[in-house]
Amino acid sequence: MSRIGAFTARLYRGEVGYDFVGKRKIWYSISVLIAITAIVGLAVRGINESIDFKGGAVFTTPKTSVSVEEAVSDAQDASGKTAVVQKLGNGSLRIQIAEITTKQSDPIKAQLAKDLKVDQNQITADLVGPSWGSTIANKAWTGLIIFLVLVVIYLAIAFEWRMAVAAFVALLHDIVITVGVYALVGFQVSPGTVIGLLTILGYSLYDTVVVFDSLKEQSKGITKQTKYTYSEIANQSINSTLVRSINTTVVALLPVAGLLFIGGGFLGAGDLNDIALSLFVGLAAGAYSSIFIATPLVAELKEREPRMKALRKRVLAKRAKAEQEAAAEGPGAQAAGTAPGGPAPAVAGPRDRSPRGGRSSGRRR
């Protein structure tokens, strides 16, 4: 077995790990920095809404040798509005002009045919009314709000309110980053973007719930033992599902990267860009928030409970006593009851160990 394979196997079994919860302030700082960058980009550049939300027309031309820059200039001269032009894979052009009426579209179409030197009858025009676009935008926001509310209610019932709050914060984290990237990159926000956004929120929530389920199982009866604090059990839950989260994220990102960089970049498919960018950024942000934001935040909220404070005090007192006894016996003695790796281990022990059951029957002695 390769070194990477051996390491991931040990990581999955809980024999090694990383102290995600103990270093949560670092992850919070990184997330705040990214979120501030996204918000600044959103405030400065704003969201580039497609005509599906603002209303307007999309003109698709036949194959032409006219460059994108020339087409943008011609479209803006013909309409007096800002135009977005994309070169499609077959050599045709996709020209979007927002906030024009049906009466305005015909003379614009005629002028485009003249400037681009193509047959006017071969230019197709798809019109979207401003009222319809406004309705779509309102429904998109309504759907997002309903989704978030239902998520919080479900998690509060299935787990507890602290986990619901942590998952809600993680989802908002993903939304802010994804929307901020759209503002910075300048990609259009279309109905496809909304579909992609809801998809990645569901994926992020799924990944978070997997860790929460592991944490809920391993923390049962936690106050009846004095070996591990709640934060250490939470950290064990992250590490025991870490390999699975990484594998799932990588496998999901590969086809999305193909859509974004090949389908959108080389073929010039605008709709693919709209969906793929939100999926690519959202999947990466969702995996990050599940590991570095949601569970550490749950641990921080739980550690504020009086009974968890009392548990931490008992655990640390027992460890201090064990260390004193070990020091008195000699440097080579192993303190009984001390968790491997010192007073604040990255992983509480093998993944089949829980506060309730001590050693499992299958553990090697």
Side-chain angles (χ1 to χ4, degrees):
M1 182 182 295
S2 64
R3 290 184 179 181
I4 296 178
F7 175 78
T8 55
R10 294 178 63 200
L11 184 65
Y12 180 78
R13 292 193 297 267
E15 297 172 2
V16 296
Y18 185 80
D19 191 9
F20 293 101
V21 176
K23 298 181 179 180
R24 58 182 176 271
K25 290 184 179 179
I26 297 177
W27 319 134
Y28 294 166
S29 300
I30 294 174
S31 294
V32 169
L33 180 61
I34 296 174
I36 290 175
T37 303
I39 292 173
V40 170
L42 186 62
V44 173
R45 301 196 60 177
I47 296 178
N48 182 18
E49 294 180 331
S50 70
I51 64 169
D52 297 290
F53 295 118
K54 296 188 296 184
V58 178
F59 300 95
T60 304
T61 72
K63 184 177 180 180
T64 176
S65 59
V66 177
S67 66
V68 172
E69 291 76 15
E70 292 174 334
V72 170
S73 178
D74 292 338
Q76 292 180 166
D77 290 341
S79 63
K81 305 282 186 178
T82 301
V84 177
V85 179
Q86 293 173 316
K87 192 84 170 182
L88 303 182
N90 58 0
S92 61
L93 296 174
R94 185 172 184 260
I95 303 172
Q96 298 185 58
I97 304 175
E99 300 175 340
I100 63 173
T101 63
T102 303
K103 292 182 179 179
Q104 293 174 317
S105 66
D106 290 337
I108 291 175
K109 179 179 178 181
Q111 186 62 41
L112 285 175
K114 180 180 178 181
D115 294 338
L116 300 178
K117 299 178 181 179
V118 295
D119 186 357
Q120 179 178 345
N121 295 327
Q122 293 182 331
I123 298 179
T124 59
D126 297 321
L127 301 176
V128 178
S131 60
W132 187 87
S134 176
T135 301
I136 291 298
N138 292 334
K139 288 185 176 180
W141 283 111
T142 302
L144 181 60
I145 293 172
I146 292 175
F147 172 82
L148 294 175
V149 171
L150 292 178
V151 164
V152 171
I153 294 175
Y154 168 75
L155 291 179
I157 296 174
F159 297 97
E160 60 171 300
W161 69 267
R162 294 170 187 82
M163 291 185 177
V165 170
F168 181 74
V169 171
L171 291 177
L172 289 181
H173 168 273
D174 300 341
I175 293 173
V176 170
I177 290 178
T178 305
V179 175
V181 169
Y182 262 85
L184 291 172
V185 174
F187 277 23
Q188 286 194 348
V189 176
S190 66
T193 305
V194 177
I195 294 172
L197 183 62
L198 292 176
T199 301
I200 60 98
L201 291 182
Y203 173 89
S204 175
L205 179 64
Y206 170 75
D207 213 28
T208 301
V209 167
V210 169
V211 183
F212 283 178
D213 186 63
S214 175
L215 176 56
K216 179 181 178 181
E217 180 65 24
Q218 296 188 51
S219 62
K220 287 181 179 178
I222 187 174
T223 56
K224 298 178 182 179
Q225 53 84 50
T226 55
K227 296 183 70 175
Y228 310 114
T229 65
Y230 188 90
S231 292
E232 292 165 0
I233 296 298
N235 202 68
Q236 179 184 351
S237 300
I238 298 175
N239 280 277
S240 64
T241 58
L242 182 60
V243 174
R244 175 194 173 282
S245 297
I246 294 174
N247 289 339
T248 304
T249 302
V250 171
V251 170
L253 282 176
L254 288 176
V256 174
L259 284 175
L260 178 61
F261 298 110
I262 298 177
F266 292 104
L267 301 180
D271 292 337
L272 288 180
N273 279 337
D274 297 338
I275 299 176
L277 182 63
S278 62
L279 288 175
F280 188 83
V281 176
L283 287 174
Y288 176 88
S289 65
S290 299
I291 298 171
F292 297 97
I293 303 298
T295 307
L297 183 56
V298 170
E300 185 171 355
L301 293 175
K302 289 288 290 186
E303 289 285 5
R304 297 179 182 180
E305 290 186 8
R307 63 193 187 104
M308 293 304 167
K309 290 182 179 180
L311 172 63
R312 172 174 285 274
K313 188 175 181 180
R314 293 197 305 271
V315 170
L316 296 181
K318 182 177 179 180
R319 289 178 184 172
K321 181 179 179 182
E323 289 176 358
Q324 291 175 359
E325 294 176 353
E329 293 176 3
Q334 173 66 40
T338 303
V347 182
R351 71 192 299 255
D352 59 351
R353 181 188 294 176
S354 66
R356 297 169 294 158
R359 297 178 177 177
S360 65
S361 59
R363 186 186 174 200
R364 305 173 85 180
R365 300 179 182 271

